[in-house]
Amino acid sequence: MFIWKIMAKQIKAIECPKCGSTEKTEIKPDYFRCNNCNTEYFLDNDDVTINQNIHHTNDNFKNTAAPSSIRKIVWIVVGVCAVFTLLFVIPMFFISKPNVDEFSVGESGGGNWWGEKISFYATADDNPVMVQVGDLSGKGNIETATISFYDLLNNKKLKQESLPVTSNKSGNDYEIRHFKNGEVYIIVNKQHIFKVNKKDATAEDITSTTFATHPEMSSGIADAKFLMEEYGDGIELKNNENTTYFYYPIIDKLYTKDENTELMDKLDIKVPGENLVMNYRFTGESLDYPERGIQLIQYQRKDSENGPGNYYNFYWTKDAFTGDELYNPSLKMIRSWKDFTPQRKYLNPDLLYFDDNVVIFTFSNTPADDGPRSLQCLDAKTAEVKWTLPGADKYMGIVVTYKNGVMADNGKSIWLINNEGKIINDFKNK
């Protein structure tokens, strides 16, 4: 007798990937939390598994069954196969799977990328887009500075074009940055500054037009690089007279080194009616209090108003004179702070993104250096876990939100994640 079972999910032992326990709590469909070690994991359900169980009721079946019975069984089997083919096999050729790559990151029609960088942005109607810039080899293996745009929701390349610059072929010619106002800027060869036009999916060289009103840069740009994000959405510039300036595109302000330092110092000074903004940072490991572990700190600071920012390093230490525990940054810079997730300690966390709604970071699931990592999203208002995804890369790149979810560079792939924490598209980086 042939028994056909059409299973909706791939059959797997539902065991914790960390400790192997089968004791679990289902926190949402196909997502579980281990009752033994609290690791969260999910059940893969992309494939259709067909089990064929063959059961012989009599070892002498061939000799003892009547010919009419054999023919009847054969026709039943043929009929079942035909129905199965009509219902399940043929439709597979016409139905697209939600997670299948329609394009691959880096796809270039036969060429190869070199030194490429990526970022994300949301269009005016909140569609998620990835932008990729780098050297692209074409016919004759000639490398050209190229920019490509990909629609991550509809799985298609929007546009690809050459940039009006000559590649230095160093592998380090490109920088790209998503600023807090949603704009994307690109620096090529340390001398050309581009701004992405999100409406038309193009990149405009704004080097000459931007600094037309800043005579300090009239001698030309000798070197340009983005500031660390903690120091603001800005660009450090050196002109051809070897003078350094700091430029902040959102407010179109150019400052000397001394002016920039003075503005940073003013962030420490409290003034009546000052605007405060909420920030987040993980503490460093404490040599004095290693038992405290790493904590996620929510703190308020003075708003830099899109100008120079400052870096705040948190860790627990002992006071050299009183022996008291001190929370050490320079506290005059911080207006208030708190442990955002009390009682929780983190292993090798890496803060990737935060805004008024969410805080997104990665962390290790075990103390092992090369152990598995997860990507997690917290509610910025309640600190509750919104979702957790296993499989995060150790060196995960940029994360940017859009209306219906999150765009994330997971090392060898690009994840498009919805607001429920489900990966709706996973693009492999070949």
Side-chain angles (χ1 to χ4, degrees):
M1 179 177 64
F2 293 88
I3 302 174
W4 294 86
K5 294 184 180 179
I6 313 301
M7 305 299 290
K9 298 177 181 177
Q10 185 177 2
I11 297 175
K12 292 183 176 181
I14 305 178
E15 297 180 350
C16 174
K18 176 181 174 182
C19 68
S21 172
T22 58
E23 296 295 322
K24 61 193 177 299
T25 300
E26 187 171 14
I27 56 178
K28 60 182 177 179
D30 295 339
Y31 283 75
F32 303 88
R33 179 182 293 111
C34 176
N35 293 342
N36 182 48
C37 66
N38 288 327
T39 296
E40 295 179 355
Y41 55 95
F42 70 102
L43 180 65
D44 182 11
N45 62 357
D46 287 337
D47 297 326
V48 175
T49 301
I50 303 168
N51 293 328
Q52 180 180 351
N53 296 328
I54 302 175
H55 175 63
H56 297 292
T57 58
N58 192 320
D59 290 338
N60 298 319
F61 173 73
K62 182 176 179 180
N63 296 325
T64 59
S68 61
S69 299
I70 295 175
R71 285 196 298 270
K72 185 181 294 185
I73 292 173
V74 170
W75 280 111
I76 291 173
V77 172
V78 171
V80 171
C81 291
V83 172
F84 173 75
T85 302
L86 288 172
L87 293 179
F88 299 98
V89 176
I90 292 177
M92 291 176 66
F93 293 98
F94 301 96
I95 300 174
S96 59
K97 295 182 180 180
N99 291 336
V100 171
D101 298 344
E102 296 295 333
F103 67 88
S104 294
V105 178
E107 179 187 0
S108 55
N112 294 308
W113 287 95
W114 176 252
E116 71 273 14
K117 302 294 192 305
I118 69 168
S119 189
F120 307 107
Y121 65 85
T123 62
D125 52 358
D126 257 320
N127 279 336
V129 174
M130 186 191 79
V131 56
Q132 180 177 27
V133 62
D135 289 342
L136 183 61
S137 62
K139 293 182 179 179
N141 205 31
I142 298 174
E143 294 179 352
T144 305
T146 305
I147 189 167
S148 292
F149 297 85
Y150 303 91
D151 181 335
L152 295 178
L153 188 62
N154 297 302
N155 306 355
K156 65 180 181 180
K157 183 186 293 183
L158 295 173
K159 189 178 292 185
Q160 181 169 290
E161 61 184 11
S162 299
L163 294 174
V165 293
T166 301
S167 169
N168 288 337
K169 301 178 177 61
S170 70
N172 296 307
D173 299 335
Y174 301 92
E175 290 187 69
I176 189 167
R177 176 71 65 80
H178 178 277
F179 282 0
K180 290 181 177 64
N181 66 344
E183 302 295 344
V184 177
Y185 288 83
I186 299 167
I187 298 176
V188 182
N189 297 339
K190 300 183 179 181
Q191 294 179 321
H192 299 274
I193 301 173
F194 290 81
K195 182 180 179 181
V196 169
N197 183 325
K198 296 190 289 185
K199 180 180 179 181
D200 299 329
T202 58
E204 177 188 359
D205 189 338
I206 62 171
T207 311
S208 57
T209 56
T210 295
F211 299 113
T213 56
H214 297 287
E216 300 92 336
M217 300 303 299
S218 60
S219 64
I221 297 176
D223 186 83
K225 58 185 177 183
F226 289 116
L227 300 177
M228 287 179 56
E229 291 186 16
E230 290 84 359
Y231 292 108
D233 285 332
I235 304 171
E236 182 178 337
L237 300 167
K238 182 180 292 185
N239 64 16
N240 283 318
E241 295 172 344
N242 203 32
T243 304
T244 298
Y245 292 92
F246 295 85
Y247 177 65
Y248 298 88
I250 297 176
I251 56 176
D252 190 27
K253 294 291 186 180
L254 187 74
Y255 301 114
T256 65
K257 263 187 176 181
D258 289 342
E259 290 171 338
N260 200 69
T261 301
E262 182 180 355
L263 289 169
M264 291 171 63
D265 291 341
K266 283 184 177 180
L267 293 176
D268 301 345
I269 303 172
K270 293 182 179 180
V271 297
E274 63 182 9
N275 291 325
L276 301 179
V277 292
M278 196 72 74
N279 278 212
Y280 300 83
R281 179 163 293 279
F282 285 104
T283 62
E285 294 185 9
S286 172
L287 296 177
D288 295 330
Y289 300 97
E291 70 280 359
R292 288 190 177 275
I294 297 175
Q295 299 159 281
L296 178 59
I297 301 301
Q298 181 192 69
Y299 65 96
Q300 282 188 318
R301 63 167 176 80
K302 188 176 179 180
D303 189 359
S304 64
E305 298 178 347
N306 296 314
N310 216 333
Y311 179 83
Y312 306 104
N313 188 25
F314 296 90
Y315 58 95
W316 288 98
T317 187
K318 289 181 179 179
D319 185 272
F321 300 99
T322 65
D324 295 336
E325 299 174 355
L326 288 180
Y327 204 73
N328 186 13
S330 174
L331 289 179
K332 63 181 181 180
M333 300 179 182
I334 306 301
R335 303 304 185 253
S336 66
W337 63 269
K338 68 176 182 179
D339 186 347
F340 190 55
T341 52
Q343 310 305 319
R344 182 172 175 180
K345 303 297 181 286
Y346 296 88
L347 295 172
N348 304 314
D350 186 15
L351 183 63
L352 299 175
Y353 179 90
F354 64 83
D355 59 26
D356 292 338
N357 299 309
V358 296
V359 183
I360 302 175
F361 53 89
T362 62
F363 62 92
S364 294
N365 299 331
T366 70
D369 291 338
D370 296 325
R373 292 179 67 82
S374 293
L375 178 69
Q376 188 167 90
C377 177
L378 302 183
D379 189 308
K381 297 179 177 62
T382 66
E384 293 181 359
V385 175
K386 294 174 70 71
W387 49 259
T388 303
L389 280 173
D393 190 79
K394 184 176 182 180
Y395 303 105
M396 197 158 188
I398 184 172
V399 169
V400 175
T401 61
Y402 71 108
K403 180 180 179 181
N404 295 315
V406 174
M407 300 167 275
D409 173 13
N410 190 37
K412 295 182 180 179
S413 66
I414 302 299
W415 283 351
L416 187 63
I417 307 165
N418 66 17
N419 285 326
E420 287 68 49
K422 180 180 179 181
I423 299 174
I424 57 177
N425 273 323
D426 185 359
F427 304 106
K428 302 303 177 185
N429 190 359
K430 295 182 179 178

